[in-house]
Amino acid sequence: MNYLSTRGGMPPTPFTGILLEGLAPDGGLSMPESYPKITRAELAAWRTLGYRDLAFEIFSRFMDDIPAADLRDIVDRTYTAQAFGSDDITPVSALEPGLHVLHLSNGPTLAFKDVAMQLLGNLFEYVLAKRGEELNILGATSGDTGSAAEYAMRGKRGVRVFMLSPEGKMSPFQTAQMYSLQDANIFNIAVRGVFDDCQDMVKAVSNDLAFKAKYRIGTVNSINWARLIAQVVYYFKGYFAVTRGDDEEVTFSVPSGNFGNVCAGHVARMMGLPIRKLVVATNENDVLDEFFRTGRYRVRPSAAVAQTSSPSMDISKASNFERFVFDLVGRDPKVVADLWRNVDAGGEFDLAGTPFFARLSDFGFVSGRSTHADRLATIRRIHADYGVTVDTHTADGLKAGLEHREAGIPLVCLETAQPAKFAATIQEALGREPARPAGFEAIEALPLRFDVMDVDVEAIKRYIEAHC
Ligand SMILES: *Cc1c(COP(=O)(O)O)cnc(C)c1O
């Protein structure tokens, strides 16, 4: 399996050649040359596989330049009951017949990003060791992504993580989760500023190409293709959990921000999984909902991004969206490059009235939007009707999913975080804090390890130099 760029400017490259890279050299995103097609016979055979065996089958199709025995070992070390709470890894529960929740947040940081990041940690360590190289991951976080990356990379040989976070701006729970890590290869840096300052510092360092090359600076952001493949597995697992035969169709509803999670559902569908609809659920930051309703893709300036109570979906543009548009326009890199020439210049594009817009339904996509008031109402209703507490992001997915529910078609809503991470909004909705999962009861009391820094690009460079 070779990979291409959505903008046509990358020679065919095997999986390990794109694993550590961010954008393709032409500014596009890597995509498989074609999707591996799963026959009905294969689907039937996969139905009874455990999570690890299923992950191995799917990864083998996309990562075929890693020897099978090595890949098997990586999968077996990643998806353990110890890391994910059970051998199911992503269990499914039923709220009522035909309405299901796919639990993706049983990993070490209680959010769905662990499913992909835990794999990335082991893949990075493996490939770096093979090459005798090291990597310094530099990132900025306002909470979720940073902690998932740190818990994935802690103790990994050849990898250091330098994570910038805004001082005093994260919840006590999130702060404790990140800063309590004592691993020698994890560096938490509390910046005296806001999240955008942290992000600007990362950009400035990455734009210093000489520094970037000398210190082998890398990232683990959501455009990483391996993260996407990792997420394909649970669409299959979820499908098998709620169907009996392989002709049945299922609809998935996905709380969406950067379009990584739901893009994995698109890949599963392209491989042949009988998915009826993919519901793209957004919060008030509805750039994706607007596109799927109207054909207009209008990136917001970062100042126009609302800070919401489902903060992990607060985005101005959806960084993986270009991957789907590549498929939508018949994989013509010239069309994609043209569209993103406008987007990258801060503009927009509009597919309304084009044949591309007419094809949207062929891909199963529909969308919905949820506000703070909707979120509170959904959390209350799910709690009242089923005795279940869901987190704010999952509530957005449930709201949009239920709007698109059809009789006779199982609806699977993806749970992307545990309510304990967003206690303030749960308190607002239900009048009490959510229960803490076992092992997290006293997390705020743990000793912390972090450094404080001004908004100063030279200071972070010196810090990295000093710790390499
Ligand atoms: C990152 C995240 C999302 C959004 O996922 P995308 O892949 O960016 O669409 C939704 N919910 C939670 C809890 C997240 O952490």
Side-chain angles (χ1 to χ4, degrees):
M1 170 71 72
N2 276 320
Y3 290 85
L4 310 168
S5 166
T6 49
R7 300 190 196 175
M10 182 173 82
T13 307
F15 173 74
T16 55
I18 61 161
L19 171 65
L20 301 175
E21 306 302 324
L23 292 174
D26 60 355
L29 303 182
S30 49
M31 283 287 272
E33 248 166 3
S34 63
Y35 292 109
K37 293 281 188 255
I38 306 307
T39 63
R40 286 296 151 105
E42 281 171 305
L43 202 60
W46 285 7
R47 177 172 282 280
T48 53
L49 297 182
Y51 195 97
R52 287 181 287 274
D53 292 335
L54 182 62
F56 175 74
E57 289 298 331
I58 292 171
F59 297 168
S60 308
R61 306 312 199 257
F62 290 100
M63 310 180 186
D64 57 359
D65 55 332
I66 297 180
D70 294 352
L71 186 59
R72 184 79 239 191
D73 177 56
I74 289 169
V75 168
D76 288 350
R77 283 188 291 115
T78 302
Y79 295 110
T80 62
Q82 197 199 353
F84 289 94
S86 73
D87 276 316
D88 279 343
I89 309 298
T90 60
V92 174
S93 63
L95 295 175
E96 63 179 43
L99 176 59
H100 306 268
V101 177
L102 173 57
H103 298 270
L104 306 180
S105 58
N106 293 328
T109 74
L110 310 181
F112 96 99
K113 290 190 176 63
D114 288 328
V115 180
M117 283 293 191
Q118 290 285 313
L119 176 72
L120 215 57
N122 286 323
L123 281 173
F124 275 28
E125 184 177 51
Y126 170 82
V127 169
L128 289 168
K130 284 253 151 170
R131 295 188 191 158
E133 289 178 11
E134 293 192 347
L135 186 72
N136 291 307
I137 293 168
L138 175 63
T141 188
S142 51
D144 268 357
T145 315
S147 58
E150 291 185 354
Y151 278 77
M153 300 297 166
R154 61 188 298 199
K156 299 287 182 248
R157 286 177 305 262
V159 185
R160 289 181 206 85
V161 178
F162 297 91
M163 191 60 68
L164 309 184
S165 49
E167 187 187 25
K169 302 282 192 309
M170 295 188 296
S171 73
F173 185 93
Q174 283 178 320
T175 307
Q177 211 174 30
M178 283 178 60
Y179 293 5
S180 63
L181 286 179
Q182 304 292 332
D183 305 77
N185 71 326
I186 304 294
F187 300 94
N188 277 303
I189 300 148
V191 175
R192 295 191 185 94
V194 295
F195 171 65
D196 279 341
D197 296 320
C198 301
Q199 214 165 23
D200 288 346
M201 286 168 73
V202 171
K203 274 189 206 143
V205 173
S206 304
N207 288 340
D208 181 344
L209 296 183
F211 184 91
K212 187 178 177 204
K214 182 167 178 204
Y215 290 98
R216 296 182 185 278
I217 304 290
T219 58
V220 288
N221 50 25
S222 80
I223 57 170
N224 184 288
W225 175 254
R227 281 179 64 176
L228 219 126
I229 309 176
Q231 295 168 178
V232 170
V233 178
Y234 52 68
Y235 284 90
F236 280 86
K237 204 79 187 94
Y239 175 82
F240 293 136
V242 305
T243 56
R244 287 208 206 98
D246 301 317
D247 307 319
E248 293 176 43
E249 288 188 318
V250 170
T251 288
F252 289 94
S253 183
V254 188
S256 293
N258 275 317
F259 204 74
N261 198 352
V262 76
C263 194
H266 165 69
V267 172
R269 194 173 184 276
M270 297 299 278
M271 291 171 71
L273 189 67
I275 295 177
R276 181 169 177 84
K277 284 182 190 162
L278 289 163
V279 183
V280 181
T282 74
N283 64 19
E284 292 88 335
N285 296 293
D286 57 357
V287 44
L288 288 168
D289 180 47
E290 181 175 20
F291 173 78
F292 285 104
R293 278 186 300 103
T294 68
R296 184 170 177 209
Y297 184 60
R298 188 169 57 92
V299 172
R300 319 290 200 256
S302 37
V305 175
Q307 296 205 357
T308 75
S309 47
S310 45
S312 302
M313 292 154 61
D314 292 347
I315 50 111
S316 57
K317 62 173 190 220
S319 43
N320 279 290
F321 182 57
E322 184 173 338
R323 290 196 154 110
F324 166 63
V325 172
F326 182 63
D327 286 339
L328 179 68
V329 302
R331 300 196 140 222
D332 184 340
K334 280 196 214 65
V335 176
V336 175
D338 273 346
L339 294 174
W340 257 267
R341 200 163 299 130
N342 294 332
V343 172
D344 289 342
E348 58 178 74
F349 62 75
D350 192 351
L351 299 184
T354 69
F356 301 134
F357 189 63
R359 289 185 65 200
L360 266 185
S361 57
D362 299 349
F363 290 90
F365 278 101
V366 293
S367 69
R369 173 183 194 273
S370 172
T371 65
H372 183 70
D374 296 327
R375 206 166 291 133
L376 295 180
T378 305
I379 292 169
R380 282 190 197 114
R381 187 152 66 84
I382 299 296
H383 187 261
D385 291 355
Y386 309 110
V388 171
T389 307
V390 294
D391 101 288
T392 53
H393 308 77
T394 308
D396 291 341
L398 278 156
K399 191 246 178 200
L402 288 167
E403 286 168 357
H404 291 281
R405 190 179 185 188
E406 296 166 282
I409 306 289
L411 172 64
V412 178
C413 296
L414 275 52
E415 181 208 55
T416 56
Q418 293 206 17
K421 294 196 84 167
F422 303 95
T425 308
I426 304 300
Q427 167 83 44
E428 188 182 347
L430 301 180
R432 52 166 189 75
E433 294 232 332
R436 286 275 177 97
F440 289 86
E441 296 88 351
I443 186 170
E444 288 94 338
L446 294 173
L448 304 182
R449 175 174 170 272
F450 65 100
D451 290 301
V452 182
M453 189 178 288
D454 285 325
V455 181
D456 180 349
V457 174
E458 287 311 310
I460 182 63
K461 285 186 188 166
R462 283 196 303 276
Y463 187 96
I464 292 169
E465 279 165 11
H467 291 95
C468 282

